[in-house]
Amino acid sequence: MRCFAVIPAYQEAARLPGVLAAVVPHVDGVVVVDDGSHDDTALAAVHPQAYVLRHALNRGQGAALRTGTAAALELGADIIVHLDADGQHDPSYIHSVTDPIRAGHADVVLGSRYLGVEPEGIPPARRALHWGIRQFNRWILGIPATLTDPQSGFRAFSAAAARGLSFHQDRMAHASELLRNVTRSSWRWVEVPVRVTYSAESLRKGQKATDAVKIAWHLVLGAFHR
């Protein structure tokens, strides 16, 4: 089964070469979507096993993932893995999120930083933010309470699930929208532990409390009107 990684990237010229070098040994190909960066992200993404696409304008992580997922399917991917460009996801766990699909046990595998592999460098405020989003997902979106990580960007899909995947949020709200759609579908899904490592740079680019308000607002406006 051919496995392709899809990596959305915005202003990641410095870290992307290292991320690609770590990811490539675990997959058959990589699709990098430069989401309207103003630095040399597109140039940094050049690699013999990488296909580089570029949004002319910054559209958001959700939009970049849609673009990259569609491209991976066109390239013949049987399994598609989403992961971030900032290096916080440990590529050695790609097998953890793809093995249940390869074995025929799942259609969607969701990586969780809260299932026994302690996230490194995560501040208490970030844990609290994730807890709040998890409660919103549970009580407002109807996402099962058993799902432990409400904003994981490390996930895998079979080609069939990826083709049927429907999410419309362009920015960070896509993660909760995607979880709602997956858990309400007939797809077999499972969570598995993954390692996430935070750095000062990834924390600066990560979510804040104000972002949680925006995510909730966008989901309330969008998710229930489709």
Side-chain angles (χ1 to χ4, degrees):
M1 300 179 75
R2 300 185 73 209
C3 177
F4 275 70
V6 173
I7 303 178
Y10 178 66
Q11 306 288 82
E12 291 291 358
R15 287 180 286 186
L16 192 52
V19 170
L20 284 173
V23 168
V24 161
H26 302 283
V27 297
D28 298 292
V30 182
V31 177
V32 179
V33 181
D34 175 7
D35 190 31
S37 301
H38 301 298
D39 65 359
D40 290 329
T41 291
L43 184 61
V46 174
H47 187 282
Q49 287 184 248
Y51 299 83
V52 184
L53 305 175
R54 190 172 192 276
H55 288 166
L57 300 173
N58 176 248
R59 295 174 53 195
Q61 189 180 57
L65 286 171
R66 285 199 303 274
T67 296
T69 299
L73 289 171
E74 288 293 323
L75 290 166
D78 299 300
I79 301 175
I80 294 172
V81 178
H82 292 171
L83 68 162
D84 290 351
D86 60 9
Q88 68 173 272
H89 295 145
D90 184 343
S92 69
Y93 282 80
I94 287 176
H95 295 288
S96 296
V97 299
T98 58
D99 282 350
I101 299 174
R102 294 183 188 277
H105 298 154
D107 306 299
V108 180
V109 181
L110 307 166
S112 173
R113 74 202 94 184
Y114 298 119
L115 275 179
V117 179
E118 185 67 16
E120 298 181 14
I122 184 170
R126 184 61 56 88
R127 286 184 185 271
L129 177 60
H130 289 163
W131 181 88
I133 296 174
R134 184 180 176 191
Q135 301 314 308
F136 177 89
N137 285 352
R138 176 185 180 185
W139 296 109
I140 305 301
L141 300 183
I143 293 171
T146 53
L147 204 150
T148 64
D149 195 330
Q151 288 286 294
S152 175
F154 200 172
R155 53 180 91 93
F157 304 89
S158 68
R163 287 191 188 94
L165 191 64
S166 177
F167 62 100
H168 305 277
Q169 295 290 340
D170 283 349
R171 298 193 179 273
M172 296 309 296
H174 82 275
S176 292
E177 182 190 20
L178 188 152
L179 291 180
R180 182 173 187 259
N181 292 345
V182 166
T183 56
R184 291 163 67 95
S185 74
S186 60
W187 295 323
R188 298 165 300 163
W189 62 272
V190 65
E191 269 192 306
V192 299
V194 295
R195 184 180 304 282
V196 176
T197 301
Y198 291 86
S199 65
E201 292 82 5
S202 64
L203 286 170
R204 276 197 294 269
K205 293 187 67 174
Q207 296 168 351
K208 303 174 179 62
T210 53
D211 295 321
V213 175
K214 292 177 184 177
I215 289 170
W217 177 247
H218 290 155
L219 286 167
V220 169
L221 285 179
F224 294 109
H225 296 289
R226 296 186 182 278

